[in-house]
Amino acid sequence: MPTPTFSTRCTGHRKIAHDVYEFTLAKPEGFSFQAGQFVMFQVPLVDKVSDVQGRAFSIASAPSEPELLFVAKIKQGGRAGRWISEMLKEGDEVKLQGPLGKFTLAPYPNAVSGAGFEPAGEQKLLFLATCSGIAPLRSQLVEALYQGDTRAMDLLFCVRSEENLFWAKELSEIAKGHANVHVHISLSRPSAGWKGLTGHLQDVASQVIPDLPERSIYVCGGPEMVKAVRIKAEQEWKIPKERIHSEDYV
Ligand SMILES: Cc1cc2nc3c(=O)[nH]c(=O)nc-3n(C[C@H](O)[C@H](O)[C@H](O)COP(=O)(O)OP(=O)(O)OC[C@H]3O[C@@H](n4cnc5c(N)ncnc54)[C@H](O)[C@@H]3O)c2cc1C
């Protein structure tokens, strides 16, 4: 069966960091998805709106949340980059196809409506993201907590510098009140005044997660980072391939 297409409205749009925007859409009637999936937006060319092409964007909100949330890292001159930074505004009609993708958490056999959470094999989770790669991981984390997941879950979020940082407070809020969840923020090229973690994702993970071999990994971001993490996870952290899940933003 072909993936359905939906028409909806933009309900919010704002710049949240250097070259980073977040926007929300009303959840279209009949649209359901699993945490970690993405949609294909039908993206018009700013200079010729009848010229439309698909672009993939991960859903950053969880299925249990009322709206669809997205975060976009703008690539200068790119079709989606120009649409989001120059054209899209609250109230606009947006067409999307989805949901798509298999970057999802193991199913919850006894979900919120059932008898409580039973982990399906994966005992401890580690979410690793650079920049807008945070989107599907935010969705997965929020959904896991909604489902009553009590496994150890660490989220390590890395961006280049302070001007590229977003959602630091929001991610900490999600973790609040959940002793099993920890959020770590790292900058790869911070200013001299930065007091937090410094370094690339895979190096910082080795510093802050003492039980790496016990983790199941969910990693999302640019293809080079994802490849580097996969190699490190298999070779150094000794995590079996079947517990390493990834999504590349190609
Ligand atoms: C499964 C999946 C999920 C994704 N989820 C997200 C997400 O949640 N958030 C996110 O930010 N991204 C996400 N991406 C990446 C996203 O789909 C796009 O690839 C990205 O936004 C760039 O698209 P674009 O149309 O802006 O660039 P394109 O038009 O495709 O251009 C590609 C490159 O060429 C350059 N370029 C194009 N035209 C010009 C020009 N005229 N002048 C100079 N340079 C030019 C652009 O800078 C860009 O680097 C995802 C990708 C996949 C595969």
Side-chain angles (χ1 to χ4, degrees), residues 38-39 43 53 55-59 70-82 84 132-133 135-136 220 247-250:
F38 68 94
V39 298
V43 181
Q53 281 181 15
R55 288 290 185 279
F57 280 82
S58 301
I59 306 168
F70 297 90
V71 61
K73 169 84 172 86
I74 304 304
K75 292 196 172 161
Q76 293 303 331
R79 173 184 283 264
R82 291 198 64 198
I84 291 163
S132 56
C220 184
E247 184 91 286
D248 292 9
Y249 281 0
V250 281

